[in-house]
Amino acid sequence: MILVVDVFYNDEGAKSVAGVFENWGSQHFYKTYEINIGNVEDYVPGQFYKRELPCILSVLGIVEEEYEYILIDGYVFLGAESKAGLGKHLWDALAIKKPIIGVAKNYFKDTPEDCVVLRGKSQKPLYITS
């Protein structure tokens, strides 16, 4: 099983969601989870994980299935220096370690070229870290 997590922000706080896929070839979720979070940290440039991580941990706490991987919307490591990104902070917070794959839509300065993935005919890359 593969777990995909994301966080959406709104006027009331945030909604953290998780989708479980049975395998890499699955086209639909096996099951989904969501949790509303009322008190969310303010965004601080360079410390995005402080806002996002508690939301992700909240939804992970209600997932019932055993999963092998976690996909996040963001970087595991940032730039060529491999500074800790959201995924690394998540890894550090997990009691049971699972591989974390970061899929980011926006370029972070000095992201290595081997992190760039183009989808189909798209010229807008994704940045994959783990």
Side-chain angles (χ1 to χ4, degrees):
M1 298 262 183
I2 302 149
L3 187 67
V4 179
V5 296
D6 203 358
V7 180
F8 303 92
Y9 299 94
N10 54 43
D11 293 338
E12 290 81 40
K15 180 179 285 192
S16 189
V17 296
V20 180
F21 288 104
E22 290 187 84
N23 58 57
W24 292 109
S26 298
Q27 294 185 18
H28 303 284
F29 289 119
Y30 170 78
K31 191 167 182 182
T32 60
Y33 297 88
E34 61 181 61
I35 188 167
N36 291 310
I37 300 148
N39 188 15
V40 179
E41 294 285 329
D42 289 335
Y43 172 72
V44 177
Q47 297 180 356
F48 174 66
Y49 72 93
K50 289 185 178 180
R51 182 176 203 206
E52 193 101 344
L53 184 59
C55 300
I56 291 173
L57 292 173
S58 292
V59 77
L60 290 181
I62 63 171
V63 173
E64 298 171 349
E65 289 74 23
E66 192 65 33
Y67 50 88
E68 296 178 63
Y69 306 95
I70 302 172
L71 273 75
I72 62 164
D73 179 14
Y75 284 87
V76 176
F77 291 102
L78 299 165
E81 295 178 15
S82 295
K83 180 179 174 186
L86 173 62
K88 174 64 166 102
H89 290 287
L90 174 58
W91 167 267
D92 291 342
L94 293 175
I96 299 172
K97 305 299 186 196
K98 303 286 182 171
I100 299 172
I101 301 166
V103 181
K105 296 176 288 296
N106 297 311
Y107 176 77
F108 184 85
K109 183 180 181 232
D110 295 330
T111 296
E113 190 65 33
D114 61 357
C115 294
V116 176
V117 175
L118 290 172
R119 301 164 284 160
K121 296 179 182 181
S122 174
Q123 293 304 305
K124 183 163 173 52
L126 293 174
Y127 304 93
I128 311 297
T129 55
S130 64

